């Protein structure tokens, strides 16, 4: 294969990430066009980007301080850990909302970097939760149904399953999946993000705004996703369009802001490769 020039590579990467959070881009297209008319550092886009980065950095530092503080809480008063973790989770959700609301004018690099920061903070929190509140022995060979119709569920976690089938009915805002083997997970539309880690031989049918996949092997992903799926340290994974069908799915997709088919299920970004580049 011929080596691309530096200019061609940069142009390809810019094109690759230009469609993140497509609905927000459309909603604010006229504002974006106005910002693009001026390329000076005093333009509204520059000022907005600078303001966003400052707010993002401050919130990130606050969350990191909360995570550090949880270690001292665990030794002095473990009973306070659960509300502490809930507060951190809420802060991460606010950080995610900040990115979503401002992504229409941000450079693609800042969007990618911000999403990775959110995923890393989430992973740190989940690691702490697993450390202080270990899960029970893995379930095996079971049908597990979570019915959340009519409920407000902020975060839901599926973990430690072997040869199980999981059905999540109703809407959750964030979904975390850890340590699954030879299992199938069918999920109705998710309002926010999905984080999947350490899965092997699994099948997922998921509709969400964002999805990040880490350490997945020999697994299939049937997706309807607003931004490009992100994978890392994964191999033998396949992606295709979301196929889940049930009565009322069109209304649920619309309610979750996922009624437009972006075909991003086929535009997968490998963060390990991007860091190498």
């Amino acid at each position: 294969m011929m080596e691309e020039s530096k200019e061609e590579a940069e142009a390809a990467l810019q094109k690759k990430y230009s469609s993140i959070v497509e609905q927000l881009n459309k909603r604010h297209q006229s504002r974006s066009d106005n910002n693009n008319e001026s390329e000076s550092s005093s333009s509204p886009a520059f000022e907005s980007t600078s303001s966003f980065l400052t707010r993002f950095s401050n919130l990130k530092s606050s969350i990191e301080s909360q995570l550090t503080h949880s270690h001292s809480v665990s030794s002095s008063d473990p009973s306070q850990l659960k509300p502490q973790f809930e507060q951190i989770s809420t802060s991460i959700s606010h950080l995610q909302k900040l990115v979503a609301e401002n992504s229409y004018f941000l450079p693609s690099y800042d969007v990618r970097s911000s999403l990775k920061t959110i995923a890393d903070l989430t992973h740190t929190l989940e690691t702490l939760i697993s450390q202080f509140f270990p899960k029970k022995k893995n379930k095996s060979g079971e049908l597990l149904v979570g019915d959340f119709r009519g409920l407000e569920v902020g975060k839901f976690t599926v973990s430690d399953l072997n040869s199980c089938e999981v059905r999540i009915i109703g809407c959750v805002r964030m979904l975390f999946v850890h340590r699954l083997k030879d299992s199938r997970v069918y999920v109705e539309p998710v309002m926010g993000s999905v984080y999947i880690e350490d899965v092997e031989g699994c099948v997922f049918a998921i509709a969400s705004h964002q999805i990040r996949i880490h350490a997945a092997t020999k697994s299939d992903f049937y997706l309807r996703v607003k931004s490009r799926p992100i994978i890392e340290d994964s191999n033998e994974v396949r992606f295709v369009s979301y196929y889940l069908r049930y009565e009322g799915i069109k209304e649920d997709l619309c309610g979750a802001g996922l009624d437009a088919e972006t075909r991003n299920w086929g535009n997968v970004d490998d963060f390990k490769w991007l860091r190498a580049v």
Side-chain angles (χ1 to χ4, degrees):
M1 182 180 293
M2 297 181 60
E3 184 177 355
E4 290 184 328
S5 68
K6 181 179 179 181
E7 291 78 10
E8 289 173 335
E10 289 178 350
L13 284 175
Q14 180 64 32
K15 182 179 180 180
K16 191 173 185 180
Y17 293 103
S18 62
S19 63
I20 289 182
V21 195
E22 185 174 345
Q23 186 176 14
L24 287 173
N25 285 343
K26 290 180 179 179
R27 184 183 303 171
H28 302 284
Q29 187 63 49
S30 60
R31 294 176 60 184
S32 297
D33 292 340
N34 291 333
N35 288 341
N36 289 334
E37 291 177 359
S38 175
E39 296 182 357
S40 68
S41 62
S42 61
S43 68
F46 177 86
E47 295 173 358
S48 298
T49 301
S50 177
S51 175
F52 164 81
L53 292 175
T54 298
R55 292 176 61 194
F56 186 90
S57 179
N58 290 339
L59 283 172
K60 172 178 173 286
S61 297
S62 175
I63 293 170
E64 290 173 337
S65 297
Q66 293 177 65
L67 289 167
T68 301
H69 178 64
S70 65
H71 286 283
S72 60
V73 171
S74 64
S75 59
S76 60
D77 188 3
S79 65
Q80 294 298 314
L81 276 177
K82 282 192 175 181
Q84 177 80 9
F85 288 154
E86 290 175 358
Q87 181 179 351
I88 295 173
S89 179
T90 299
S91 297
I92 293 176
S93 296
H94 290 161
L95 195 63
Q96 182 185 27
K97 183 179 179 182
L98 177 66
V99 175
E101 290 177 343
N102 292 276
S103 61
Y104 70 92
F105 65 78
L106 292 174
S108 59
Y109 172 81
D110 289 327
V111 174
R112 296 199 310 269
S113 178
S114 299
L115 292 177
K116 185 178 186 304
T117 295
I118 292 171
D120 290 342
L121 291 171
T122 301
H123 181 263
T124 300
L125 175 60
E126 289 296 306
T127 300
L128 284 172
I129 292 174
S130 299
Q131 177 183 346
F132 295 107
F133 301 98
K135 303 294 183 180
K136 297 180 180 179
K137 185 178 179 181
N138 295 10
K139 291 183 179 293
S140 180
E142 296 188 30
L143 171 61
L144 306 170
V145 179
D147 191 341
F148 305 114
R149 285 173 292 192
L151 301 177
E152 290 288 336
V153 179
K155 181 180 72 172
F156 188 74
T157 299
V158 177
S159 64
D160 302 292
L161 302 178
N162 184 20
S163 301
C164 290
E165 180 175 318
V166 179
R167 301 175 187 173
I168 298 179
I169 302 171
C171 188
V172 300
R173 294 195 173 274
M174 298 181 72
L175 176 66
F176 298 89
V177 179
H178 307 293
R179 300 177 298 278
L180 268 61
K181 185 174 182 180
D182 299 329
S183 296
R184 287 167 170 73
V185 179
Y186 305 104
V187 184
E188 294 187 9
V190 176
M191 293 289 292
S193 300
V194 176
Y195 299 93
I196 298 175
E197 182 177 35
D198 192 13
V199 298
E200 180 181 354
C202 295
V203 174
F204 296 90
I206 294 173
S208 65
H209 285 243
Q210 300 164 353
I211 184 166
R212 176 159 182 161
I213 301 163
H214 181 257
T217 306
K218 298 179 180 178
S219 295
D220 295 338
F221 297 87
Y222 295 80
L223 303 180
R224 187 184 187 99
V225 60
K226 185 166 289 187
S227 61
R228 296 171 179 262
I230 295 173
I231 65 172
E232 191 170 18
D233 296 323
S234 300
N235 57 78
E236 297 184 67
V237 291
R238 301 185 299 181
F239 294 85
V240 72
S241 61
Y242 186 67
Y243 70 90
L244 199 61
R245 296 290 182 269
Y246 59 87
E247 185 177 353
I249 187 172
K250 289 185 178 180
E251 292 77 7
D252 289 348
L253 287 169
C254 185
L258 297 168
D259 47 318
E261 172 56 85
T262 64
R263 298 189 65 82
N264 274 331
W265 57 265
N267 299 319
V268 181
D269 293 332
D270 189 335
F271 253 45
K272 189 172 183 178
W273 177 84
L274 287 172
R275 282 201 302 270
V277 172

